[in-house]
């Protein structure tokens, strides 16, 4: 009786947890970077909540059998918190109105709630849940590609570029989730282990690079405070890299008086 000392999914979920927690690093750097605005707390919550959820999955926490198919409850709890943040943050970067940001986040949360209902129910109800979730997903895609661009257009070029990256990162990668769901818990054509491995990969790709993209484009955000670091030159108010505004329009009222 050779019982494997470490279960495959423990390894997979541990790697997922690690890769997601790596994603907190750029968010923490942004938080400590002396930027004004940027809502980096929300950004940090994305890989942090997911990372914690993966730690719990690695310990075999909340696995439940639905129709004989094991589903980790943490996955849906994590998605319920983090996917509205992913969508809402992309909308925020695009400069969308508060109403659209919240509307998109709510549509996203409903998509996950209906997905959770679908996974828990037996066939007729399951497909109704799937259809409701898919409708919410379609409405999200409508907001991302139908409404977001008109807001993004009004933004400075670097911010517009970041908004487009986040829009496509969310819009394209997420298409894979309902497909995996269909063959996994839906039709039960592929094993829960295979689903777990594929979803782990997708979750990491959906989150860690997302945070990094924002970090990479950090010149989009205004530098705040009296000690805006002079990168390269000590000249006041000179844009630093790539012509981006480091302190746009701020005439440094609270600066330490010039030592002349
Ligand atoms: C479900 C249920 C079936 C129908 C649809 C779904 C969509 C899920 C999506 C999940 C995205 C998750 C992400 C996680 C990141 O860690 C719920 C599978 C449409 C789009 C990005």
């Amino acid at each position: 009786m050779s019982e494997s000392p470490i279960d495959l999914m423990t390894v997979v979920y541990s790697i997922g947890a690690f890769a997601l927690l790596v994603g907190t690093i750029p968010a923490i750097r942004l938080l400590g970077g002396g930027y004004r605005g940027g809502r980096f707390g929300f950004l940090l919550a994305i890989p942090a909540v997911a990372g914690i959820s993966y730690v719990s999955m690695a310990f075999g926490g909340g696995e439940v059998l639905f129709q004989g198919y094991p589903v980790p409850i943490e996955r849906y709890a994590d998605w319920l918190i983090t996917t509205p943040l992913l969508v809402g943050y992309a909308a925020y970067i695009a400069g969308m109105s508060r109403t659209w940001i919240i509307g998109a986040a709510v549509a996203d949360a409903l998509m996950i709630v209906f997905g959770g209902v679908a996974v828990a129910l037996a066939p007729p109800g399951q497909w109704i849940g799937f259809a409701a979730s898919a409708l919410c997903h379609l409405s999200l895609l409508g907001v991302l590609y139908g409404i977001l661009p008109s807001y993004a257009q009004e933004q400075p070029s670097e911010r517009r570029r970041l908004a487009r990256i986040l829009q496509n990162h969310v819009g394209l990668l997420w298409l894979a989730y309902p497909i995996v769901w269909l063959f996994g818990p839906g039709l039960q054509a592929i094993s829960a282990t295979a689903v777990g491995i594929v979803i782990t990969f997708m979750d990491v790709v959906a989150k860690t690079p997302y945070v990094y993209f924002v970090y990479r484009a950090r010149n989009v955000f205004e530098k705040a405070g009296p000690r805006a670091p002079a990168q390269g030159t000590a000249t006041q108010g000179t844009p630093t890299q790539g012509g981006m505004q480091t302190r746009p329009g701020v005439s440094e009222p609270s600066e330490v008086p010039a030592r002349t």
Side-chain angles (χ1 to χ4, degrees):
M1 290 284 154
S2 66
E3 198 182 296
S4 151
I6 300 180
D7 161 69
L8 171 65
M9 289 323 290
T10 305
V11 175
V12 170
Y13 289 147
S14 301
I15 295 172
F18 176 77
L20 285 160
L21 292 172
V22 164
T24 61
I25 296 169
I28 291 168
R29 294 190 68 149
L30 285 171
L31 269 171
Y35 295 96
R36 183 180 312 171
R39 304 295 198 144
F40 302 128
F42 288 115
L43 191 65
L44 173 62
I46 294 169
V49 169
I52 292 166
S53 143
Y54 269 80
V55 168
S56 171
M57 290 198 281
F59 284 105
E63 200 152 277
V64 178
L65 277 187
F66 291 119
Q67 278 70 246
Y69 202 88
V71 176
I73 288 300
E74 296 95 327
R75 180 175 296 154
Y76 287 84
D78 161 10
W79 288 358
L80 187 59
I81 298 169
T82 59
T83 62
L85 289 176
L86 287 160
V87 165
Y89 199 80
Y92 162 72
I93 290 295
M96 293 184 89
S97 67
R98 211 183 153 80
T99 313
W100 276 117
I101 295 174
I102 294 174
V106 168
D108 183 297
L110 285 175
M111 171 184 83
I112 302 301
V113 168
F114 287 131
V117 168
V119 89
L121 296 182
Q126 167 176 26
W127 298 116
I128 296 169
F130 179 84
S133 178
L135 275 179
C136 295
H137 193 187
L138 284 177
S139 77
L140 266 187
L141 291 172
V143 173
L144 276 179
Y145 289 96
I147 317 277
L148 181 146
S150 60
Y151 282 90
Q153 227 166 20
E154 308 291 311
Q155 301 301 316
S157 65
E158 285 290 305
R159 189 166 184 132
R160 193 164 64 232
R161 223 171 77 83
L162 175 60
R164 185 166 317 134
I165 290 169
L166 300 183
Q167 170 203 33
N168 287 323
H169 199 64
V170 167
L172 300 179
L173 176 70
W174 289 26
L175 294 174
Y177 282 89
I179 298 170
V180 172
W181 190 94
L182 198 60
F183 292 101
L187 300 169
Q188 302 201 358
I190 49 179
S191 72
T193 304
V195 168
I197 294 170
V198 173
I199 296 267
T200 301
F201 178 75
M202 283 165 31
D203 282 2
V204 169
V205 174
K207 286 172 170 147
T208 297
Y210 182 108
V211 180
Y212 176 70
F213 293 147
V214 178
Y215 177 76
R216 193 179 57 181
R218 61 196 174 280
N219 283 335
V220 158
F221 307 104
E222 286 179 36
K223 269 283 186 185
R227 313 178 283 112
Q231 292 179 345
T233 55
T235 323
Q236 287 189 353
T238 308
T240 48
Q241 299 164 15
M244 280 315 296
Q245 311 148 301
T246 317
R247 290 175 283 172
V250 178
S251 53
E252 298 154 350
S254 60
E255 287 278 334
V256 178
R259 279 180 273 122
T260 46

